[in-house]
Amino acid sequence: MDKKVLKEVQEKKEFNHHDKVLIALSGGIDSMNLLDFLYRYRDDLEICLGLAHFNHKQRPESDREESELSQLAKELGLPFYTAHFEGRFSESLARDQRYQFFKKIMETEGYTALVTAHHQDDQAETVFMRILRGSRLRHLKGMKRVQPFANGELIRPFLSISKSELANLPHFYDSSNATLDYLRNRIRNLYLPTLEKENPKLKQQLLNLSHEVSLLTEALDSLLASHTIEDIEWFQKQTYPIQYYLFQTYLEAIPDLQLTKAQFYDLLTMLRSDKNYYLPIKQDYHFIKNYSHFEIKKISPQTDSVKLPVLLDYKNSVQIGSYLYSYGTPLSQVDSVILLPSTTPIFIRERKAGDKILQGGVSKKVRRLFIDDKIALEDRQRALFLEQDHELMAILLPDKTYLRKASKDDIMKGKLYIQKLENW
């Protein structure tokens, strides 16, 4: 088994870019085999090891096991890191805390790879679990052998071997693995053994399914790699099945945004329409679609010290977002200047229904201006409206400014200086 795994990781060059490698060490037979393997071949792989143990605090013997693993680390001359579960126990919360702990150690101690002992049996259980939960087809690939994690990668070198191939090394036995309180335990101890009576090769069939799904998604990704998913014109020319797959692929790059199926279909419908959209989804993520492209991005709540509307008096200045506005007083650096017919106060506000601005002697609706000029909904949301003496004088957008068209008899008396704050 060792030679097989060593040959595989060397051929795949999985550790070639890693000097410091962190082992997720539970003390069970899987992770003890992983420690034994990496420790014996650390020189061949040219890596330095560290051990990370997460104590779930769910069994009386947990603290003793942590102490014994700490002593083992000392004997091997390896750094040992530990953390304890906090809160009301659940599988998902424990997993979240465990991987947050691993991530913190990697980032603070300079490890670029986290290695776990997941093997083929774990993979088969994962695929079966995802089928039970109604996961999308692409997620039936199961766990990846190598994937980005924290400031480096998560590597699972044992995914090509079964648990039966592991050596019976000294390890801790976790009695909670035999209970049926958790779904994975029920899959491992009840569902799969029962179904294997019908098909003794069920686990291998689940692995075959995972492999075929991986090949299918890789093939589609390869065929579509030369195109930009966010290009609305190209996206809308594709058939519905391709659009469906493309949007799934786009969402894969945002793993912390977990959309419901209803949300997925709603957004896909918006992508297929001719309308523009700018709407919050959840977790500060916003869906933005205009005439040329779409994106989903995280937009933190505004932290500007000044909230709109703002009344700006002559010879005063105000900072709104990343811009400084100085009324009547020149700035050392100026990006633009707006001329005004008087020095009365300026009212800076957001857009409101029915806004109109004078253009070429005609009062035009702002809504129509935005539509005709194909202003993105995101930019419309960020626009600032400048009023003076109850008349709209200017509309400021990130890349465009609409100015009230003054008559030839107007005399400009005021100036508004605008500066972009580069370090904001």
Side-chain angles (χ1 to χ4, degrees):
M1 183 275 288
D2 285 357
K3 296 295 184 183
K4 173 184 175 181
V5 175
L6 179 63
K7 180 182 178 182
E8 196 166 22
V9 298
Q10 287 179 326
E11 287 179 348
K12 295 178 181 293
K13 301 179 181 180
E14 290 172 339
F15 291 93
N16 283 25
H17 303 293
H18 301 292
D19 297 320
K20 295 184 70 176
V21 173
L22 188 67
I23 300 175
L25 186 69
S26 67
I29 190 169
D30 306 347
S31 67
M32 295 303 284
N33 268 268
L34 179 64
L35 169 58
D36 179 70
F37 169 76
L38 290 176
Y39 186 78
R40 284 192 292 112
Y41 293 108
R42 65 191 186 283
D43 291 337
D44 298 77
L45 299 174
E46 300 180 359
I47 55 176
C48 296
L49 300 175
L51 308 181
H53 174 71
F54 188 80
N55 186 340
H56 291 87
K57 289 283 188 176
Q58 299 304 299
R59 297 176 293 116
E61 57 269 29
S62 295
D63 291 342
R64 175 182 57 80
E65 293 172 358
E66 177 186 325
S67 178
E68 291 187 26
L69 290 175
S70 176
Q71 181 58 38
L72 174 62
K74 288 181 181 179
E75 294 172 3
L76 296 177
L78 302 178
F80 183 76
Y81 311 96
T82 188
H84 300 162
F85 177 82
E86 297 178 357
R88 185 175 179 179
F89 188 82
S90 71
E91 285 185 286
S92 60
L93 182 57
R95 185 186 186 283
D96 290 344
Q97 289 191 18
R98 186 165 65 248
Y99 279 90
Q100 281 299 317
F101 162 60
F102 296 149
K103 179 181 178 182
K104 180 180 178 181
I105 296 303
M106 289 179 66
E107 293 174 344
T108 58
E109 301 297 330
Y111 292 91
T112 58
L114 171 69
V115 188
T116 65
H118 294 104
H119 44 69
Q120 283 185 345
D121 296 62
D122 295 318
Q123 183 75 298
E125 292 166 7
T126 296
V127 173
F128 189 81
M129 181 185 295
R130 292 180 179 179
I131 292 174
L132 283 181
R133 288 175 169 169
S135 297
R136 297 188 183 281
L137 179 66
R138 63 167 53 244
H139 295 141
L140 300 188
K141 293 183 293 187
M143 296 176 284
K144 294 181 180 179
R145 185 179 172 96
V146 179
Q147 69 184 63
F149 180 74
N151 54 310
E153 293 180 320
L154 191 161
I155 303 174
R156 300 180 176 99
F158 282 4
L159 270 188
S160 60
I161 62 172
S162 66
K163 187 164 187 172
S164 62
E165 296 178 78
L166 299 177
N168 188 24
L169 300 176
H171 63 278
F172 301 124
Y173 173 70
D174 186 347
S175 57
S176 67
N177 287 335
T179 72
L180 300 180
D181 295 337
Y182 307 117
L183 177 57
R184 186 172 286 273
N185 285 359
R186 293 194 294 275
I187 290 173
R188 179 179 300 158
N189 302 320
L190 180 61
Y191 302 154
L192 288 182
T194 300
L195 291 171
E196 283 175 329
K197 293 177 183 177
E198 299 293 336
N199 181 359
K201 295 183 178 181
L202 176 61
K203 286 182 182 178
Q204 186 57 52
Q205 299 297 351
L206 290 169
L207 293 172
N208 292 344
L209 172 63
S210 171
H211 182 62
E212 287 209 10
V213 173
S214 294
L215 291 178
L216 175 63
T217 55
E218 286 177 21
L220 286 170
D221 288 342
S222 177
L223 290 171
L224 299 168
S226 60
H227 300 282
T228 302
I229 295 177
E230 299 93 328
D231 183 337
I232 281 294
E233 183 178 357
W234 176 78
F235 183 93
Q236 293 184 341
K237 288 180 180 178
Q238 308 311 307
T239 62
Y240 179 79
I242 294 295
Q243 292 174 343
Y244 186 97
Y245 180 82
L246 286 169
F247 192 41
Q248 281 193 359
T249 300
Y250 180 84
L251 292 172
E252 285 286 293
I254 317 175
D256 60 326
L257 176 63
Q258 298 297 316
L259 297 181
T260 64
K261 288 185 178 180
Q263 287 174 318
F264 174 87
Y265 285 114
D266 286 344
L267 293 179
L268 183 58
T269 299
M270 294 175 192
L271 287 174
R272 291 168 55 81
S273 79
D274 294 329
K275 295 181 179 180
N276 287 352
Y277 293 93
Y278 181 93
L279 69 154
I281 308 173
K282 59 182 181 181
Q283 302 165 245
D284 293 334
Y285 278 102
H286 288 66
F287 173 76
I288 303 160
K289 173 183 174 288
N290 59 33
Y291 297 100
S292 60
H293 77 283
F294 79 89
E295 64 179 321
I296 293 176
K297 68 178 181 179
K298 182 167 283 191
I299 302 176
S300 299
Q302 293 295 318
T303 57
D304 302 343
S305 58
V306 175
K307 300 297 181 183
L308 298 179
V310 170
L311 190 64
L312 181 59
D313 291 318
Y314 192 62
K315 294 298 181 181
N316 284 352
S317 63
V318 64
Q319 179 181 332
I320 302 175
S322 57
Y323 289 87
L324 178 63
Y325 301 87
S326 178
Y327 187 19
T329 303
L331 299 169
S332 58
Q333 179 182 334
V334 176
D335 292 290
S336 61
V337 178
I338 293 177
L339 302 179
L340 298 163
S342 77
T343 57
T344 57
I346 301 171
F347 189 58
I348 306 175
R349 61 170 173 81
E350 296 174 319
R351 180 184 176 186
K352 63 183 181 183
D355 272 331
K356 295 181 180 181
I357 189 168
L358 190 64
Q359 296 276 287
V362 179
S363 184
K364 292 189 176 181
K365 290 184 177 180
V366 170
R367 177 176 176 274
R368 176 47 57 188
L369 281 177
F370 285 171
I371 292 174
D372 291 345
D373 291 344
K374 296 185 177 181
I375 302 299
L377 279 178
E378 178 184 12
D379 291 339
R380 299 182 198 183
Q381 297 281 346
R382 296 163 58 189
L384 291 181
F385 289 68
L386 275 58
E387 272 188 25
Q388 188 177 56
D389 299 326
H390 305 290
E391 186 165 357
L392 189 57
M393 294 294 172
I395 306 170
L396 310 181
L397 296 114
D399 298 312
K400 188 179 182 67
T401 298
Y402 292 97
L403 296 175
R404 173 184 176 274
K405 299 299 183 183
S407 70
K408 56 185 178 182
D409 297 326
D410 286 344
I411 299 174
M412 296 300 156
K413 299 178 181 178
K415 291 183 179 181
L416 179 65
Y417 301 91
I418 304 175
Q419 177 187 350
K420 176 76 166 66
L421 304 175
E422 298 296 337
N423 296 325
W424 174 254

